[in-house]
């Protein structure tokens, strides 16, 4: 009978130290191995060169190091890189490196597929297969950091949880991954450079506030009118705007951090004055800013980007009300790497 070996990266540092003590070794060995597993992110025990051959063999007999493999890398003509990432069980997720003049941003996935059903998003078509483990989220960041150093001669500077999946539906693992990313024993990145984007799950937004997380929050709003939002994001029926508003007020009261609203404007969906006025009103509940995202068409063409007049109306009205608004140009469209296009096509 073969015994299924445990994934060593599921152990905390304490558990790893205890394991070495139980083997008659020093607890300190646990620290060494932990550093190899996270900070140096090696994929084999043989790479742990300051650990004796005998100990490496003992680890090999007891554990596996589950790790991702960048299966297919595509580079866009605007410098965006999309990784198709193979997980230890063969499933695939995608992550994206987005370079600008001053920063390199990693857009990472939190689930294989997605449990939500946003009508305009390609990932929604995949259904949710499973949550990613903390190490699988962490490894996507490590892979993009390496690519950033290789292609742009600088380390990764920012991370957004805007890839596949709904991060607040995999809350514990996302938090564990962010802890490792920000820890000096991991990548030592500042949480100020991390943004979690959610479709808006009120209960979990409150939980994040209670947990005093230090990263930024973005909410995919797309409409501030319940009927309209439910027609494009059906789960809004269960989590209506009034509940979302209340959770955001709670978030702001606890964290004092501004919220970003992600917003796409579609022709005939949310491009009227009524839609704009509702957004202005919503923006006044808590300090916030609006990121208008260009629509990236997905296959069937049911949705179309609104006219430039409609966009200008949004921008002018928001600015008139002193609400900060940014317009985000799509990146990596030619390789299906832009927002909402991640669907494991290749
Ligand atoms: N589930 C999370 C994160 C993934 S989606 C969330 O909903 O925020 C990342 C962003 O891309 C969201 O703002 C989402 O609404 C947006 N998006 C989805 N499909 C899109 C598309 N086809 N074009 C432009 N943006 C899209």
């Amino acid at each position: 009978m073969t015994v299924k070996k445990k994934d060593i990266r599921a152990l905390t540092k304490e558990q790893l130290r205890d394991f070495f003590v139980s083997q008659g070794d020093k607890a300190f060995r646990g620290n060494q191995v932990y550093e190899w597993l996270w900070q140096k992110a090696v994929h084999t025990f043989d790479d742990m060169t300051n650990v004796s051959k005998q100990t490496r063999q003992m680890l090999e007999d007891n554990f596996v190091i589950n790790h991702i493999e960048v299966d297919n890398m595509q580079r866009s003509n605007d410098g965006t890189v999309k990784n198709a990432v193979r997980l230890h069980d063969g499933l695939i997720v995608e992550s994206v490196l987005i370079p600008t003049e001053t920063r390199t941003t990693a857009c990472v996935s939190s689930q294989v597929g997605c449990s939500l059903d946003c009508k305009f998003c390609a990932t929604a078509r995949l259904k949710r297969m499973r949550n990613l483990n903390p190490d699988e989220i962490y490894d996507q960041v490590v892979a993009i950091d390496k690519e950033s150093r290789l292609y742009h001669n600088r380390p990764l500077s920012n991370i957004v949880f805007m890839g596949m999946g709904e991060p607040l539906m995999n809350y514990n693992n996302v938090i564990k991954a962010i802890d490792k990313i920000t820890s000096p024993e991991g990548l030592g990145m500042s949480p100020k450079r991390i943004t979690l984007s959610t479709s808006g799950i009120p209960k979990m937004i409150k939980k994040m506030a209670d947990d005093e997380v230090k990263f930024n929050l973005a909410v995919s709003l797309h409409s501030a009118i319940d009927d309209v939002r439910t027609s494009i994001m059906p789960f809004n029926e269960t989590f209506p705007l009034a509940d979302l508003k209340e959770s955001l007020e709670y978030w702001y009261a606890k964290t004092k951090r501004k919220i970003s609203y992600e917003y796409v404007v579609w022709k005939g969906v949310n491009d009227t004055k009524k839609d704009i006025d509702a957004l202005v009103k919503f923006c006044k509940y808590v300090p916030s800013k609006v990121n208008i995202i260009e629509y990236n068409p997905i296959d069937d063409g049911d949705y179309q980007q609104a006219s430039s007049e409609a966009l200008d109306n949004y921008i002018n009205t928001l600015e008139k009300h002193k609400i900060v608004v940014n317009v985000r140009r799509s990146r990596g469209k030619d390789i299906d790497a832009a927002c909402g296009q991640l669907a494991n096509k290749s």
Side-chain angles (χ1 to χ4, degrees), residues 107-108 110-111 114 116 118-123 161-168 196-200 218-222 229 233 235 261-264 266 293-298 305 330 338-342:
C107 173
V108 298
S110 55
Q111 299 182 308
C114 190
L116 299 178
C118 303
K119 298 291 183 208
F120 48 82
C121 179
T123 307
F161 281 81
M162 294 188 188
M164 294 174 154
E166 168 48 51
L168 294 191
L196 183 148
S197 175
T198 175
S199 56
V219 175
S220 300
L221 190 60
H222 303 314
R229 195 165 192 261
M233 304 168 84
F235 61 86
Y261 297 127
E262 312 290 308
Y263 205 100
V264 177
W266 291 280
I293 316 177
E294 191 183 334
Y295 177 55
N296 303 304
I298 57 174
Q305 166 87 37
S330 286
C339 280
Q341 291 188 312
L342 302 182

Side-chain angles (χ1 to χ4, degrees), residues 141-283:
V141 177
V142 170
I144 291 186
D145 182 45
K146 278 190 191 147
E147 289 167 350
S148 178
R149 289 168 198 270
L150 182 67
Y151 298 120
H152 301 282
N153 293 314
R154 60 185 187 208
L156 180 66
S157 60
N158 296 73
I159 302 173
V160 294
F161 281 81
M162 294 188 188
M164 294 174 154
E166 168 48 51
L168 294 191
M169 296 281 208
N170 183 18
Y171 183 73
N172 290 338
N173 289 350
V174 166
I175 294 297
K176 281 186 194 161
I178 293 177
D179 283 347
K180 290 251 155 57
I181 292 165
T182 52
S183 154
E185 291 181 329
L187 299 175
M189 273 183 77
S190 163
K192 292 193 187 110
R193 294 177 170 275
I194 300 176
T195 300
L196 183 148
S197 175
T198 175
S199 56
I201 308 196
K203 195 176 80 190
M204 299 311 294
I205 291 174
K206 286 185 172 174
K207 166 121 180 68
M208 273 197 298
D210 285 336
D211 289 347
E212 297 180 10
V213 301
K214 299 284 182 278
F215 49 79
N216 302 302
L217 175 62
V219 175
S220 300
L221 190 60
H222 303 314
S223 173
I225 301 174
D226 270 313
D227 288 349
V228 178
R229 195 165 192 261
T230 300
S231 76
I232 49 178
M233 304 168 84
F235 61 86
N236 184 70
E237 182 101 60
T238 323
F239 310 116
L241 288 162
D243 294 359
L244 180 60
K245 164 186 183 258
E246 198 220 290
S247 70
L248 297 174
E249 285 167 344
Y250 188 88
W251 161 273
Y252 188 77
K254 288 234 163 176
T255 67
K256 294 282 175 288
R257 280 205 307 283
K258 231 180 177 177
I259 295 158
S260 303
Y261 297 127
E262 312 290 308
Y263 205 100
V264 177
V265 188
W266 291 280
K267 191 176 280 175
V269 174
N270 57 353
D271 57 354
T272 68
K273 183 170 180 304
K274 192 173 159 218
D275 297 290
I276 302 175
D277 292 344
L279 175 61
V280 168
K281 187 169 168 218
F282 200 89
C283 286

